[in-house]
Amino acid sequence: MAFSSVDLSPRMGSQVTIDKSVLIGGAHAGEIRALLDRRGVLLFRGIAPSDGELRAIARTLGDLRLGASKRGADGKTLNEGEEGVLKVSLDENVNPEYARFLPGNHLWHMDGTYEQIPPLATLFTPFRLSRTGGDTCFANTYAAFEDLPADEQAALEKLRVVHTMPAALFPAMRGCTPEEFAVWHSYPQRSHPLVWHHRSGRKSLVLSTSGAWVEDMHQAESHDLLERLMRHATQDKYVYRHKWQLGDLVIWDNTGAMHRVLPFDRESSREFHRCTLNGEEPITAAQDAPATA
Ligand code: OGA
Ligand code: MN
């Protein structure tokens, strides 16, 4: 069988069976993209891709982000790694620039909400596992939106949320120094619609720990709304929790899903290698979506 898949949970995640060479060859790239859009996260077991193979697979699926060329004009856009492979590790010897932003990964988030066009997807493979903990969880934000009552959907579609670096990091690093806080605060903010009307016609909630406040709403009301939506969207029925094995390759959708990593022991030097695919559409609200005939 060249390509087959089974669901990992009712509403999130599929495991795909495909030969490594076929995966790298890209013959099923269209099916994989479609399945990723529908299922939010894809698991391939026993792949153990080298960095070169990870890049090759990424390039069959989309536009591989190259770190050096993607530095923003502000000079502060997070570097995705030379040659398109980023090492995700808390060890500052492995990735000095990135390690101090990683505590935010423990909270539910989308990657790159500071960008106008957030990344499309991430390819993620373990290099070294933690002894304990370190599962990664994924939540389906299409399903969370679809299950809301129609009047609430309509109200949410009118709202915009400002995403900030302090909002993403402070809850994970309450003991930060004023200097650290000031660095986070110096990063650009970005306002996005709360509901993403995708080109496909489907809609998803744009939720992330980076979502600091709802525009034009009292701060207390905004806080309660974002907290309630986050609780709604991360109920077990929308979540797939992945327990890693060496050799796994996971691809997650960053447009209709959130993810988080569960706590793990810092001493075990957990290390993953990742490739990021650049986004293909800005987060567009329903009212400013192009009219269809
Ligand atoms: C990330 C991330 C989760 C993990 O790399 O963006 O959130 O399991 N990683 O390390
Ligand atoms: Mn992330």
Side-chain angles (χ1 to χ4, degrees):
M1 206 184 321
F3 178 93
S4 68
S5 69
V6 293
D7 292 353
L8 291 164
S9 79
R11 304 189 74 182
M12 190 56 163
S14 290
Q15 180 168 349
V16 177
T17 304
I18 186 172
D19 282 343
K20 181 172 172 175
S21 59
V22 178
L23 179 61
I24 294 171
H28 293 274
E31 285 159 271
I32 291 171
R33 278 285 301 259
L35 194 62
L36 180 63
D37 198 49
R38 215 166 59 243
R39 301 292 307 161
V41 55
L42 303 182
L43 165 65
F44 304 75
R45 285 230 128 120
I47 302 290
S50 66
D51 286 353
E53 289 166 342
L54 192 62
R55 266 194 294 272
I57 296 165
R59 286 196 160 112
T60 69
L61 298 172
D63 179 24
L64 175 64
R65 174 167 297 198
L66 297 173
S69 66
K70 272 291 163 186
R71 263 176 190 289
D74 54 281
K76 286 179 175 167
T77 306
L78 287 182
N79 192 343
E80 291 289 335
E82 298 302 321
E83 308 301 329
V85 176
L86 176 71
K87 293 179 180 153
V88 177
S89 165
L90 283 172
D91 187 343
E92 301 209 350
N93 297 319
V94 174
N95 194 338
E97 190 178 359
Y98 211 68
R100 52 203 154 100
F101 292 95
L102 288 187
N105 285 355
H106 288 294
L107 302 169
W108 284 110
H109 67 282
M110 291 167 63
D111 295 334
T113 48
Y114 321 101
E115 303 168 36
Q116 196 214 344
I117 303 186
L120 174 77
T122 291
L123 293 85
F124 210 54
T125 189
F127 191 76
R128 244 192 314 270
L129 294 174
S130 49
R131 267 192 320 271
T132 59
D135 295 358
T136 309
C137 300
F138 303 91
N140 186 332
T141 51
Y142 283 115
F145 181 74
E146 284 156 14
D147 284 358
L148 292 171
D151 56 342
E152 188 174 358
Q153 288 180 342
L156 297 179
E157 286 198 57
K158 298 192 180 75
L159 303 178
R160 297 183 68 89
V161 175
V162 177
H163 294 258
T164 76
M165 192 68 91
L169 293 183
F170 184 62
M173 297 172 74
R174 299 273 175 178
C176 71
T177 63
E179 291 74 23
E180 279 173 319
F181 195 88
V183 170
W184 305 338
H185 200 69
S186 73
Y187 276 76
Q189 306 179 348
R190 177 75 65 178
S191 161
H192 291 297
L194 176 54
V195 179
W196 188 340
H197 192 164
H198 298 250
R199 276 185 203 148
S200 63
R202 296 169 71 209
K203 294 175 185 173
S204 64
L205 286 169
V206 181
L207 289 176
S208 177
T209 181
S210 63
W213 65 85
V214 179
E215 286 182 357
D216 304 321
M217 186 180 276
H218 190 283
Q219 291 274 331
E221 199 186 334
S222 155
H223 170 270
D224 289 356
L225 174 62
L226 292 176
E227 198 178 77
R228 181 171 62 76
L229 288 175
M230 188 59 97
R231 261 200 317 272
H232 164 71
T234 57
Q235 294 173 82
D236 285 350
K237 62 184 172 185
Y238 304 125
V239 170
Y240 167 66
R241 172 174 171 174
H242 184 60
K243 201 159 186 43
W244 293 98
Q245 292 179 10
L246 288 175
D248 285 353
L249 167 65
V250 159
I251 308 179
W252 73 72
D253 173 20
N254 190 55
T255 72
M258 286 186 286
H259 59 279
R260 78 184 299 181
V261 56
L262 298 182
F264 55 89
D265 54 301
R266 295 183 62 105
E267 285 66 44
S268 53
S269 57
R270 181 184 191 268
E271 180 179 332
F272 281 66
H273 291 195
R274 65 174 272 173
C275 282
T276 305
L277 299 181
N278 283 317
E280 297 177 355
E281 56 175 306
I283 301 178
T284 310
Q287 56 269 30
D288 50 65
T292 45

